[in-house]
């Protein structure tokens, strides 16, 4: 049994090369078909995301996983690249290290944003595509199932993916949601049409926000963005009135001066009837006068505030790494134990067959000598023989299983073959 | 069955609540996949033991849950413990037990110090005694819930003002939700306390007229302190309703809820250690039991 991996990530492959190496879903399906034709009897799974392209191959003893060089050439051919240029930047792993790597990838430990959950869905998609392309088998099935189990354990037993690390997600989940219980009855005001506004609005929509108004100095941009984001455009001149109606403001203009001065805000606040207001000022320079944050009932957060919270969350994620790695290590040992145990299957089969054959012969002889035995009695005796054989076989099989945890149990297998005269 | 039920003591459920509280506190220290289940199991076990204890006491001594100061405290603790269990199951990530369970344990502790002697009244007073004790239970529980929501509001607002991400295992409900609770409990507490006070006056008047039991003098400290408590709760409710439309209304409401709790705690301590004729049985009174308040 062999496992092999070649692949590159954002850490090892330059972006320009990574773009050319990346596979679309159709290209990946085509590549897997080529793999099946070129390496019959082998198993293969291709994982291609924005940040990584990895090919996992596996094979049994009679059809071992292809050597790394052949896999590199195969990937290069699939994408029309020069294998010589590709070889130095692609990582290579073998056997146990392959499983360990995949488990870490699935758990988000190898991601650009540590602990991000999207990679798990991508691993599942890669596995499903390989299944559809009929390039999977018992080895990759076991390995990918173990990878999914590892990812679930890391998510449940550590806080690796729990803390948010992007500014829009932190702004909504850690701050706006700390003030408001629900967003479906709140007015959201987007000031400006920056990219961060759209991203923040995506999280607000997920949280339930429905009533969204966009104001922008350029009215046409506000209208464009409003139509794209299913929102309502408003005149920039109406900003004060919109501030009165809003509960949450996301501001992302490119203005060099504050868009909302303290005076403007105070005029609006006088008509707000004490309702709380969350302001996510994501513009640099800031759109809201910082003094507005000192007004009662106003929760004002600028980019630096949110970035500091993101950084704190990132540090918390880092602290979870040792525990996550311990889970990966535990699952790797468990998986490799299972894999090594698989290599003992032919010997166990021969051993069982030999015992059953001998037992059946003895039973036949016994039944010939005792022809008066009733059918029920014969069945009882047959079951007793089977139980005896199973009990006698249990200790050597348990020893084989235990030995498999430390590696392929070649010594024990050899001893069993010699003791019981089994064939290779 | 009877030996088993009679073997349940205050320590049984107090210990279960204490373990649940320790589990809640451990949220701040480490993560655990099984802690939620352990916490709910201990809280539920405590609540079951608590229920059996009150039930057995009612059956074996013929008293009903509000018959003595001891029973009154335990019933208040039972209501809060049941509330804790419900809130924890509904919101497993909110550490509400860190705030509720200490109050539950404090009430159980107060029960252990309080008199177990039933209030003695004649049958005609039973109706008013039940109303009196019931209303006192409602306002007390309302004040506790309001104060806990107020404290959580202040903690959450402090975190948001400091612009910090939530602590691990210490994710508070939103200000909006907490403000909703702190804004409503003062009205419930004020009305229930006023009703409890008035029903107490009626109860006292009935007792005086019948002369079957030693009555409470109108200048008794318990009458004066309850009048003060009711007055405070009415003022607090009025202040809460006027503060709601101000930008800093949430903070004002939260503080008012905490002050109400302090007033209630002072009133309870006074009841435990002060001198009063309230609830003192007459030596020759017939042994009839009725619900009342400590």
């Amino acid at each position: 049994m062999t496992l092999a991996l070649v692949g590159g990530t954002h850490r090892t492959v330059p972006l320009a090369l990574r773009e050319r190496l990346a596979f679309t879903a159709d290209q990946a399906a085509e590549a897997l078909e080529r793999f099946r034709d070129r390496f019959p009897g082998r198993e293969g799974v291709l994982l291609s995301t924005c940040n990584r392209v990895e090919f996992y191959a596996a094979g049994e003893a009679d059809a071992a996983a292809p050597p790394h060089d052949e896999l590199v050439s195969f990937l290069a051919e699939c994408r029309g690249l020069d294998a010589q240029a590709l070889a130095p930047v692609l990582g290579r792993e073998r056997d146990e290290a392959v499983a360990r790597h995949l488990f870490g990838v699935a758990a988000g430990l190898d991601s650009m944003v540590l602990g991000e959950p999207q990679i798990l869905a991508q691993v599942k998609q890669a596995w499903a595509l390989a299944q559809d392309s009929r390039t999977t088998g018992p080895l990759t099935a076991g390995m990918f199932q173990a990878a999914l189990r590892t990812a679930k354990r890391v998510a449940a037993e550590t806080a690796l993916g729990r803390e948010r690390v992007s500014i829009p997600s932190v702004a909504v989940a850690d701050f706006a949601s700390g003030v408001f219980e629900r967003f479906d009855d709140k007015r959201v005001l987007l000031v400006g049409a920056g990219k961060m506004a759209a991203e923040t609005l995506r999280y607000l929509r997920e949280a339930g926000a429905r009533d969204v108004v966009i104001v922008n100095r350029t009215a046409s941009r506000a209208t464009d963005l409003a139509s794209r984001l299913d929102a309502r455009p408003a005149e920039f001149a109406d900003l004060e009135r919109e501030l009165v109606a809003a509960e949450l403001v996301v501001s992302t203009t490119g203005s060099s001066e504050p868009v909302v001065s303290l005076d403007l805000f105070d005029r609006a606040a006088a008509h707000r009837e004490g309702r709380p207001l969350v302001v996510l000022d994501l513009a640099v320079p800031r759109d809201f006068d910082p003094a507005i944050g000192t007004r009662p009932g106003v929760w004002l957060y600028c980019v630096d505030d949110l970035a500091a919270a993101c950084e704190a969350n990132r540090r918390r994620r880092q602290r979870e790494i040792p525990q996550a790695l311990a889970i990966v290590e535990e699952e790797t040992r468990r998986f490799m134990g299972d894999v090594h145990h698989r290599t003992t299957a032919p010997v166990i089969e021969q051993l069982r067959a030999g015992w059953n054959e001998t037992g059946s012969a003895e039973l036949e002889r016994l039944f010939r000598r005792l022809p008066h035995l009733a059918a029920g009695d014969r069945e009882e005796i047959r079951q007793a023989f089977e139980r005896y054989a199973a009990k006698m076989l249990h200790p050597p099989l348990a020893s084989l299983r235990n030995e498999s945890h430390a590696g392929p149990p070649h010594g024990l297998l050899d001893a069993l073959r010699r003791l019981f005269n089994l064939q290779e | 069955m009877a030996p088993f039920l009679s073997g349940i003591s205050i320590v049984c459920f107090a210990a279960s609540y204490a373990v649940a509280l320790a589990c809640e506190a451990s949220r701040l220290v480490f993560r655990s996949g099984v802690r939620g289940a352990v916490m709910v199991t201990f809280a539920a076990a405590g609540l079951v033991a608590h229920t059996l204890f009150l039930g057995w006491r009612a059956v074996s001594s013929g008293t009903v849950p509000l018959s003595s100061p001891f029973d009154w405290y335990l019933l208040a603790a039972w209501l809060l413990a049941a509330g804790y269990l419900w809130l924890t199951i509904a919101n497993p990530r909110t550490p509400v037990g860190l705030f509720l369970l200490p109050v539950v344990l404090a009430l159980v502790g107060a029960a252990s110090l309080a008199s177990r002697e039933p209030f003695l009244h004649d049958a005609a007073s039973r109706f008013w005694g039940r109303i009196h004790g019931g209303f006192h239970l409602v306002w007390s529980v309302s004040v506790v819930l309001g104060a806990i929501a107020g404290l959580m509001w202040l903690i959450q607002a402090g975190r948001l003002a400091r612009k910090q991400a939530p602590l691990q295992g210490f994710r508070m409900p939103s200000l909006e939700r907490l403000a909703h609770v702190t804004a409503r409990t003062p009205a419930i507490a004020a009305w229930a306390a006023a009703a409890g006070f008035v029903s107490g006056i009626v109860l006292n008047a009935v007792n005086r007229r019948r002369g079957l039991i030693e009555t409470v003098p109108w200048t008794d400290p318990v009458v004066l302190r309850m009048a003060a408590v009711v007055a405070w709760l009415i003022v607090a409710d009025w202040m809460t309703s006027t503060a709601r439309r101000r930008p800093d209304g949430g903070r004002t409401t939260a503080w008012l809820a905490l002050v109400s709790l302090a007033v209630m705690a002072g009133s309870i301590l006074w009841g435990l250690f002060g001198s009063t004729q309230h609830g003192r049985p007459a030596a020759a009174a017939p042994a009839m039991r009725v619900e009342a308040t400590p």
Side-chain angles (χ1 to χ4, degrees):
Chain A
M1 180 284 309
T2 47
L3 297 167
L5 160 69
V6 293
T9 68
H10 56 280
R11 291 197 192 86
T12 57
V13 184
L15 179 61
L17 187 54
R18 217 163 63 235
E19 285 169 344
R20 293 170 60 200
L21 184 60
F23 289 78
T24 63
D26 289 342
Q27 289 166 342
E30 194 183 321
L32 288 169
E33 274 179 34
R34 285 174 73 167
F35 176 83
R36 200 180 59 214
D37 296 340
R38 183 158 161 186
F39 303 105
R42 274 76 159 191
E43 303 170 30
V45 181
L46 176 59
L47 174 63
S48 180
T49 71
C50 311
N51 292 323
R52 70 181 62 244
V53 174
E54 290 175 340
F55 199 97
Y56 295 85
E60 301 286 1
D62 52 343
H68 286 128
D69 289 339
E70 284 190 38
L71 285 174
V72 172
S73 302
F74 168 73
L75 282 180
E77 279 172 33
C78 287
R79 299 300 301 127
L81 299 170
D82 177 11
Q84 299 294 328
L86 202 55
V89 294
L90 291 187
R92 298 146 189 248
E93 300 290 359
R94 200 88 188 160
D95 297 335
E96 188 172 330
V98 176
R100 187 177 290 111
H101 176 83
L102 175 63
F103 297 174
V105 167
L109 287 166
D110 199 44
S111 297
M112 185 182 272
V113 177
L114 182 67
E116 56 96 4
Q118 287 85 357
I119 186 65
L120 183 59
Q122 289 162 335
V123 169
K124 284 181 186 169
Q125 282 166 6
W127 168 249
L129 186 65
Q131 272 188 311
D132 291 345
S133 304
R134 290 178 286 118
T135 57
T136 58
L139 281 170
T140 46
M143 185 164 71
F144 275 78
Q145 277 169 14
L148 301 186
R149 186 173 62 235
T150 306
K152 280 182 189 166
R153 276 193 63 193
V154 168
E157 296 172 30
T158 75
L160 195 70
R162 203 152 294 181
E163 308 292 350
R164 291 160 187 87
V165 290
S166 75
I167 283 180
S169 65
V170 164
V172 174
D174 287 350
F175 292 103
S177 295
V179 177
F180 298 125
E181 183 66 18
R182 49 193 287 195
F183 292 90
D184 58 347
D185 59 348
K186 305 290 183 303
R187 166 76 62 85
V188 176
L189 173 63
L190 298 189
V191 183
K195 189 183 168 192
M196 198 82 99
E199 181 70 3
T200 308
L201 184 58
R202 187 168 68 81
Y203 285 99
L204 285 168
R205 291 277 195 213
E206 282 174 15
R210 287 194 301 228
D211 185 6
V212 180
V213 176
I214 300 176
V215 295
N216 195 52
R217 280 191 200 279
T218 313
S220 59
R221 281 204 70 189
T223 308
D224 283 352
L225 194 64
S227 62
R228 275 195 287 125
L229 300 178
D230 190 22
R232 179 170 64 78
E235 296 290 324
F236 194 79
D238 291 336
L239 180 59
E240 185 179 321
R241 201 171 62 196
E242 294 299 338
L243 277 173
V244 173
E247 272 87 20
L248 198 149
V249 181
V250 181
S251 192
T252 59
T253 76
S255 171
S256 55
E257 295 292 323
V259 174
V260 180
S261 64
L262 189 59
D263 284 345
L264 172 65
F265 179 80
D266 283 343
R267 285 200 303 274
H271 302 285
R272 290 184 52 80
E273 298 179 332
R275 288 177 299 121
L277 177 71
V278 173
V279 180
L280 305 173
D281 188 352
L282 308 180
V284 179
R286 286 177 283 187
D287 285 339
F288 277 66
D289 185 333
I292 292 170
T294 62
R295 293 292 189 251
V298 178
W299 308 95
L300 172 62
Y301 301 98
C302 69
V303 166
D304 281 1
D305 301 328
L306 298 170
C310 289
E311 189 50 39
N313 285 351
R314 217 167 272 135
R315 283 197 297 272
R316 283 189 212 169
R317 282 193 178 194
Q318 295 280 350
R319 285 201 291 269
E320 298 293 316
I321 290 177
Q323 198 185 340
L325 285 175
I327 292 170
V328 167
E329 202 52 44
E330 191 185 317
E331 289 294 338
T332 303
R333 278 201 305 274
R334 184 173 160 187
F335 168 70
M336 291 312 294
D338 290 344
V339 166
H340 294 145
H341 190 62
R342 279 172 49 82
T343 61
T344 66
V347 171
I348 292 171
E349 216 167 285
Q350 283 188 55
L351 207 54
R352 280 207 174 112
W355 278 69
N356 287 341
E357 199 177 317
T358 310
S360 297
E362 285 301 316
L363 272 175
E364 288 308 315
R365 191 181 305 159
L366 182 66
F367 291 157
R368 276 201 301 275
R369 285 186 181 181
L370 303 170
H372 58 278
L373 284 176
D377 295 336
R378 287 179 181 226
E379 189 53 34
E380 279 293 325
I381 293 169
R382 194 182 301 281
Q383 284 179 7
F385 261 67
E386 283 172 6
R387 280 197 299 274
Y388 173 73
K391 283 180 180 171
M392 290 302 289
L393 276 172
H394 179 71
L397 298 188
S399 299
L400 270 177
R401 175 166 285 280
N402 291 339
E403 195 75 6
S404 299
H405 291 301
H410 294 305
L412 265 183
L413 287 174
D414 192 43
L416 283 171
R417 283 196 194 97
R418 289 170 66 182
L419 284 169
F420 292 95
N421 198 22
L422 305 175
Q423 292 178 339
E424 276 285 347
Chain B
M1 194 67 178
F4 168 72
L5 291 174
S6 62
I8 297 173
S9 68
I10 283 187
V11 176
C12 295
F13 50 86
S16 293
Y17 296 145
V19 173
L21 177 59
C23 288
E24 288 276 8
S26 72
R27 285 174 188 259
L28 303 170
V29 185
F30 62 89
R31 285 175 43 77
S32 166
V34 297
R35 176 176 36 225
V38 173
M39 218 157 61
V40 169
T41 304
F42 272 96
L47 194 65
V48 168
H50 199 153
T51 310
L52 292 174
F53 181 86
L54 288 175
W56 175 248
R57 192 168 151 74
V59 170
S60 62
S61 61
T63 59
V64 288
L66 295 173
S67 300
S68 68
F70 174 77
D71 292 298
W72 189 92
Y73 286 121
L74 286 188
L75 191 61
W78 185 91
L79 281 174
L80 292 173
Y84 161 70
L85 193 60
W86 176 65
L87 287 171
T88 301
I89 291 169
N91 308 283
R93 294 185 67 190
T94 306
V96 70
L98 280 178
F99 304 90
L100 256 177
L101 287 174
V103 181
V104 171
L105 289 171
L107 284 169
V108 173
S112 66
L113 295 173
S115 166
R116 297 188 183 210
E117 284 300 311
F119 299 108
L120 299 175
H121 298 288
D122 76 321
S125 305
R126 186 172 294 169
F127 172 75
W128 287 107
R130 202 170 278 170
I131 288 177
H132 180 55
F135 275 122
H136 276 283
L137 196 64
V138 171
W139 81 257
S140 306
V141 170
S142 298
V143 164
V144 168
L145 291 178
I148 286 171
L151 181 59
M152 290 170 97
W153 192 99
L154 291 170
I155 293 171
Q156 176 75 310
R159 195 270 293 176
L160 290 166
R162 288 191 301 276
K163 302 174 180 186
Q164 290 174 339
L167 283 176
Q168 177 190 309
F170 201 69
R171 191 170 277 273
M172 293 280 132
S174 66
L175 295 183
E176 184 180 26
R177 191 175 183 185
L178 294 167
H180 184 78
V181 177
T182 53
R184 269 151 191 76
T185 47
I188 298 170
W191 282 105
F197 185 63
V198 170
S199 57
I201 290 171
V202 173
L203 173 65
N204 203 33
V206 168
N207 289 339
R208 273 173 175 267
R209 198 181 57 191
R210 291 176 172 264
L212 294 174
I213 190 168
E214 197 169 311
T215 55
V216 180
W218 294 117
T219 54
D220 188 278
V222 80
V223 178
L224 299 177
R225 81 174 148 91
M226 265 318 297
V229 167
V230 170
W232 163 253
L233 289 174
I234 290 170
V235 169
D237 180 38
W238 172 75
M239 289 171 77
T240 298
S241 59
T242 54
R244 279 167 69 183
R245 290 193 175 278
R246 291 207 311 266
D248 58 348
R251 188 174 302 278
T252 307
T253 306
W255 278 112
L256 284 172
L258 286 172
V259 173
S260 295
L261 180 70
V263 168
M264 189 187 91
S267 172
I268 286 177
L269 290 173
W270 193 349
L272 283 173
F273 302 111
S275 62
T276 176
Q277 293 297 309
H278 181 264
R280 299 276 159 82
M288 300 187 78
R289 287 126 184 180
V290 73
E291 305 76 4
T293 184

